[in-house]
Amino acid sequence: MADGLNHCIDDGYIVGPSYEIPEDPSAYHSDWRNIIGCNRMICDMCSSRLRYALGVVPRSPVKVDWGKVYETADWSTLEWLRPGRANMYVCRCSQVTEFHDEHSELLMASKGVMWHCSGHSPSVLPVDVEGVKLTRFTDLPKLLKQSATRAINVPIAKIYARLLGTPLQQAVERTMERFLTDDDPQVRRAALGFYWTYPKAEGAEKVVSLAMGDRKGFAGVKDEALSEGTDLEARLILTVGQLWMSDAVPDESARDLIRAEALKPGRARATFASLAFKDPQWLLQNAKEIVMATPDAAGKLLVELERAIGASPALLEIAHQVPTADRDAVARVRADLETYSVGSLREQLLAVFAE
C-alpha cells in the first residue's frame, strides 16, 4: 500500500452476476477464497474508470461507439441491451460481457483489454465486515480471538484487510503478534496464518524469534491441515519460509534457520518451498543428505527442485538415494510425485519408485 491505497489481489477481477460487486469503494478483493468484483477498475488505454451494468447482455449493432455508450447516463435507453446472466463492462474504448470471472492479469490475452484495479481508499470507520460493525471502540482482541477460535464466521484476514490504512490497523497487528504466544493453540495457529497471508505486517520478526528459540508452544501440537507436517512446528517453519520469500525478515537469519531445519530428521518437508525459491543451489547440494535424514520427503523435495532448476539429471540421482527397503517412505514419495509433479521428469521419477 505504498500509494496509500489498498489494491485487489491479481490487480482486480471483473465478474458475472453470481459474484458480488460491492458498492462501498473501500471494499476490495483481499481473500483468495472469496472473489469479489473490483469497483475501481481503470483502462490503461483510455484512462477511464469502468462502468458496468448487472445482469445484462448486449445485443448491439455491428458498430458501436463505446465512447458514446460510456457517456450515456441512462443505459436503460439502449434498445439493444437485454436482461441476461452476465454483466456488461464498458470503458471509453472497449466493452466486455462477463459471464463468470476474470482477473486483470489475464484480461489482455482473453478479452483484449488492459484493465486493472486503480486502488481503493482505506475504509472510513465505522465499517461493516460480513455483518460485524467495526468502530474505534470495538474490542479488537476479543473479536479477533472469536475469529481465531471460530466462535464467529468472520476471517481475521478479512477484518485486517478492511482495516488496512485506518487507525485500527496497528491495533490488529499488535494483537496478532501477542496471539503468537497465546495459551490456545487455535489462536497461535491463526496468528501464524495471519503472518503467512500478510508477511509485511508489524510483528513478523517475532515468528522468526520463536522458531529460533523454545518451540514448546508449537512442537508436537497437532495441526493436521498441512501436507508439509502434522504439528504447529511445521506451520511455524512454513511461516518463516513465507516471510523469507517475501523479504519481510532479515535474509541471513531466516536462511540459516531454514537450512538447519532441512537437515533435521523428519523436519525437512516444511523447508522445501522457501529453499527452492531463495536458495536452490544449497538445496541441490544438500539434497542427498536431506533424503537420507528424511527419506519420505524425497518426493516433495524433487518436485520443488524441478520447479526451481528444471529437469536436471541430478534429480534422478537424488531419487536413487531413497532407501528402497523403507516401503512406507517409498509409498509416500510416490504419492507426492503423483500429486504434485507436473514437470518433464514426472514419469522417470515415478519409474524409480514403481511398485
Side-chain angles (χ1 to χ4, degrees):
M1 203 176 69
D3 57 2
L5 302 174
N6 296 316
H7 291 265
C8 290
I9 294 171
D10 289 328
D11 222 0
Y13 278 75
I14 64 171
V15 297
S18 60
Y19 295 91
E20 177 192 7
I21 305 177
E23 294 184 7
D24 183 348
S26 70
Y28 64 105
H29 175 41
S30 63
D31 183 352
W32 294 103
R33 297 163 297 182
N34 183 23
I35 294 173
I36 62 172
C38 178
N39 57 30
R40 305 288 287 177
M41 295 286 275
I42 194 168
C43 176
D44 290 342
M45 301 300 293
C46 63
S47 300
S48 61
R49 179 163 292 131
L50 270 57
R51 293 183 62 195
Y52 49 88
L54 307 180
V56 297
V57 175
R59 308 294 186 192
S60 59
V62 175
K63 292 185 179 180
V64 175
D65 184 337
W66 292 110
K68 288 184 178 179
V69 173
Y70 184 89
E71 297 295 343
T72 301
D74 183 3
W75 283 356
S76 68
T77 63
L78 302 175
E79 295 181 354
W80 42 263
L81 205 57
R82 298 285 185 271
R85 297 181 63 81
N87 293 334
M88 182 181 78
Y89 287 83
V90 178
C91 66
R92 285 191 172 91
C93 64
S94 300
Q95 178 270 340
V96 167
T97 303
E98 183 57 51
F99 294 88
H100 303 292
D101 64 273
E102 194 81 87
H103 63 74
S104 172
E105 295 176 9
L106 296 179
L107 281 174
M108 185 59 195
S110 65
K111 304 292 197 301
V113 295
M114 298 176 65
W115 296 345
H116 72 276
C117 171
S118 63
H120 302 254
S121 297
S123 303
V124 175
L125 299 176
V127 62
D128 183 279
V129 181
E130 296 193 6
V132 176
K133 189 175 183 180
L134 303 175
T135 76
R136 63 190 184 92
F137 302 109
T138 297
D139 186 340
L140 280 174
K142 178 181 178 181
L143 176 67
L144 294 169
K145 184 161 287 192
Q146 288 175 329
S147 177
T149 57
R150 310 288 177 86
I152 59 171
N153 192 30
V154 184
I156 288 173
K158 278 196 172 183
I159 295 170
Y160 181 67
R162 293 305 307 278
L163 295 179
L164 274 171
T166 75
L168 296 182
Q169 174 184 340
Q170 194 173 59
V172 176
E173 293 170 340
R174 289 176 176 172
T175 299
M176 298 313 299
E177 183 179 1
R178 291 196 302 273
F179 279 3
L180 288 167
T181 54
D182 193 86
D183 291 339
D184 188 334
Q186 278 188 284
V187 176
R188 297 197 297 277
R189 181 178 184 232
L192 291 174
F194 171 79
Y195 285 107
W196 171 275
T197 306
Y198 293 101
K200 298 297 179 72
E202 181 181 308
E205 289 193 15
K206 186 169 182 177
V207 176
V208 179
S209 67
L210 287 168
M212 294 176 68
D214 186 349
R215 301 181 189 175
K216 65 181 180 181
F218 303 91
V221 179
K222 285 188 178 181
D223 185 356
E224 297 177 353
L226 296 174
S227 63
E228 294 86 353
T230 58
D231 63 5
L232 275 182
E233 187 176 13
R235 190 178 291 273
L236 176 66
I237 298 304
L238 280 167
T239 308
V240 172
Q242 176 77 343
L243 297 174
W244 184 30
M245 289 189 286
S246 304
D247 298 320
V249 293
D251 185 83
E252 186 174 347
S253 58
R255 182 201 65 204
D256 292 349
L257 190 155
I258 295 290
R259 282 181 175 180
E261 197 72 17
L263 297 171
K264 293 179 182 178
R267 304 303 306 182
R269 291 177 68 90
T271 69
F272 295 151
S274 56
L275 283 170
F277 182 80
K278 294 282 286 186
D279 206 4
Q281 289 307 310
W282 183 93
L283 185 59
L284 180 63
Q285 291 164 10
N286 291 272
K288 292 179 182 179
E289 184 178 352
I290 293 169
V291 166
M292 295 307 293
T294 312
D296 66 358
K300 202 73 184 290
L301 182 149
L302 291 165
V303 168
E304 295 292 352
L305 271 177
E306 187 173 7
R307 287 174 181 166
I309 67 172
S312 169
L315 301 186
L316 293 170
E317 294 178 22
I318 295 166
H320 284 289
Q321 300 296 313
V322 179
T324 55
D326 189 340
R327 303 312 299 166
D328 289 340
V330 170
R332 189 170 190 188
V333 171
R334 186 169 56 247
D336 281 338
L337 291 171
E338 289 172 347
T339 302
Y340 303 111
S341 179
V342 295
S344 61
L345 287 180
R346 172 185 167 88
E347 297 307 318
Q348 294 180 68
L349 291 170
L350 282 170
V352 176
F353 302 101
E355 295 185 78

